[in-house]
Amino acid sequence: MEPYISVKNVSHVYPGGVTAIKDINLDIHEGEIVAILGSNGSGKTTLVKHFNGLLKPTTGEVKIGDLNTRKERISKLSSHVGYVFQNPNHQTFLPSVRQELAYGCKNLKMSEEETDTRVQRAIELFQLHDRLDDNPFDLNSSQRKEVAMASIMAVSPKVIVLDEPTTGQDHKGCKRVLELVKMFKEEGHIVVLITHDMHLIGELNCRTVVMNQSEKIADDHASVVFSDKNIMAEAGLQPPQITHFANEISHFDPNRTYLTVESILEWMEANQEEDVKVGTRS
Ligand SMILES: Nc1ncnc2c1ncn2[C@@H]1O[C@H](COP(=O)(O)OP(=O)(O)O)[C@@H](O)[C@H]1O
Ligand SMILES: [Mg+2]
């Protein structure tokens, strides 16, 4: 199957001379959720800004479906790739939630009827009925982020890119992000999310790309990446506590990496008949 997003040998040098990403290759297919991990300044945001043409490669090529981002307008690309900024203040600027939800569709010159249908659907999906007349700036930051996601959802681009959606969110906010990512996938979207939240990646049980000093240093399923001690150390990352715990206990299957509490409970249930010895793997 042809990838929907194809990044080939892409480097990006900012006008000041900083090389923010170096020779990146990455293919993303229909139906995937891809997490991008890495410390601050490793190039994550620069990479995803290439998907909707906000940035063009200095060298190399990015294709979205059949479109070469170098040759297309941002407006056209944004109907295929929606980008939810890390800071919702950079994205919400209209005086009511209702107007905010319609903005993307209007920008793409959709008819009023089409816009209404799509906005209505976003209202349903995000349960925003009571907030339509609110000014986005009167909402708290997690509600504002949700409005930004809903307005992208109204456009319904194939790809939804979330830049650090859980940063600054409390436990409830983080759980909501998890639900939303799952909903986006169910709705048929490809989801690319930049996150420091190892627990979220564990729950999503998804493909994980690791960036370090402008380069891609890993690209595999989270369970493989999280159990690679060298990669984790190089990128300065800690696996979820539960993975760390399971890795230290010998009676868990050493060939599996446990990403969630549920996966360990499942193992325990399956093995409760056996007299397992508890010990630490040396
Ligand atoms: N607009 C910009 N102009 C110049 N340098 C930038 C700009 N944006 C980011 N950088 C630099 O590019 C590198 C990668 O940044 P970024 O992609 O934002 O990383 P991340 O999202 O992983 O924190 C950093 O060294 C950062 O300082
Ligand atoms: Mg960033």
Side-chain angles (χ1 to χ4, degrees):
M1 190 173 53
E2 286 285 304
Y4 190 79
I5 300 176
S6 156
V7 177
K8 280 212 166 66
N9 304 110
V10 169
S11 297
H12 187 86
V13 183
Y14 281 108
V18 175
T19 301
I21 52 174
K22 234 183 274 174
D23 201 25
I24 304 292
N25 285 288
L26 180 67
D27 283 348
I28 300 179
H29 294 84
E30 191 90 19
E32 282 196 293
I33 296 179
V34 181
I36 303 183
L37 266 173
S39 53
N40 284 337
S42 57
K44 305 178 299 294
T45 296
T46 303
L47 172 61
V48 300
K49 281 185 174 171
H50 281 79
F51 298 170
N52 69 347
L54 277 177
L55 293 174
K56 309 285 184 190
T58 306
T59 55
E61 196 174 86
V62 177
K63 279 171 105 182
I64 303 299
D66 297 332
L67 307 173
N68 184 326
T69 62
R70 212 186 273 286
K71 297 178 185 144
E72 304 293 337
R73 298 167 71 95
I74 295 177
S75 56
K76 179 155 189 194
L77 290 165
S78 65
S79 65
H80 298 270
V81 181
Y83 177 47
V84 181
F85 284 70
Q86 180 175 353
N87 183 344
N89 297 348
H90 295 160
Q91 196 145 32
T92 39
F93 41 86
L94 291 167
S96 76
V97 169
R98 189 191 299 277
Q99 283 166 286
E100 201 60 63
L101 294 178
Y103 176 78
C105 298
K106 289 199 165 146
N107 216 20
L108 290 171
K109 311 232 173 342
M110 288 180 197
S111 69
E112 207 152 303
E113 205 186 346
E114 175 75 14
T115 301
D116 282 350
T117 311
R118 285 166 175 254
V119 167
Q120 200 50 46
R121 189 168 146 68
I123 293 170
E124 299 289 335
L125 285 172
F126 284 81
Q127 297 290 305
L128 288 168
H129 308 79
D130 298 338
R131 299 210 192 120
L132 296 175
D133 296 320
D134 292 354
N135 185 322
F137 279 90
D138 294 333
L139 302 175
N140 67 35
S141 77
S142 90
Q143 291 167 328
R144 217 177 304 151
K145 222 165 199 175
E146 205 153 311
V147 170
M149 286 193 222
S151 59
I152 297 277
M153 198 61 175
V155 171
S156 196
K158 185 75 196 168
V159 184
I160 296 183
V161 180
L162 306 172
D163 200 340
E164 308 213 6
T166 55
T167 302
Q169 303 255 25
D170 58 12
H171 180 66
K172 204 169 136 214
C174 292
K175 270 183 80 173
R176 178 72 180 141
V177 169
L178 175 64
E179 276 170 27
L180 289 173
V181 172
K182 287 181 173 168
M183 177 182 84
F184 291 149
K185 182 182 157 72
E186 273 163 30
E187 294 282 316
H189 299 277
I190 293 168
V191 186
V192 178
L193 78 159
I194 295 178
T195 185
H196 294 285
D197 190 335
M198 307 300 273
H199 178 75
L200 175 67
I201 299 178
E203 291 287 341
L204 289 169
N205 198 19
C206 63
R207 179 176 167 194
T208 303
V209 168
V210 182
M211 295 291 296
N212 189 46
Q213 297 186 354
S214 317
E215 295 185 73
K216 187 179 94 169
I217 60 165
D219 182 356
D220 213 320
H221 190 269
S223 59
V224 177
V225 173
F226 287 0
S227 55
D228 188 327
K229 289 193 171 140
N230 293 333
I231 291 290
M232 297 297 279
E234 196 181 336
L237 300 166
Q238 292 285 339
Q241 280 175 342
I242 198 70
T243 306
H244 189 63
F245 167 76
N247 284 345
E248 294 304 319
I249 305 283
S250 65
H251 71 248
F252 290 108
D253 180 351
N255 299 316
R256 266 193 69 180
T257 298
Y258 293 85
L259 299 175
T260 60
V261 175
E262 287 73 24
S263 64
I264 288 191
L265 291 177
E266 247 172 53
W267 181 90
M268 285 176 146
E269 249 164 51
N271 291 277
Q272 62 188 350
E273 306 298 310
E274 290 172 32
D275 178 22
V276 280
K277 290 195 188 73
V278 178
T280 322
R281 235 192 271 164
S282 52

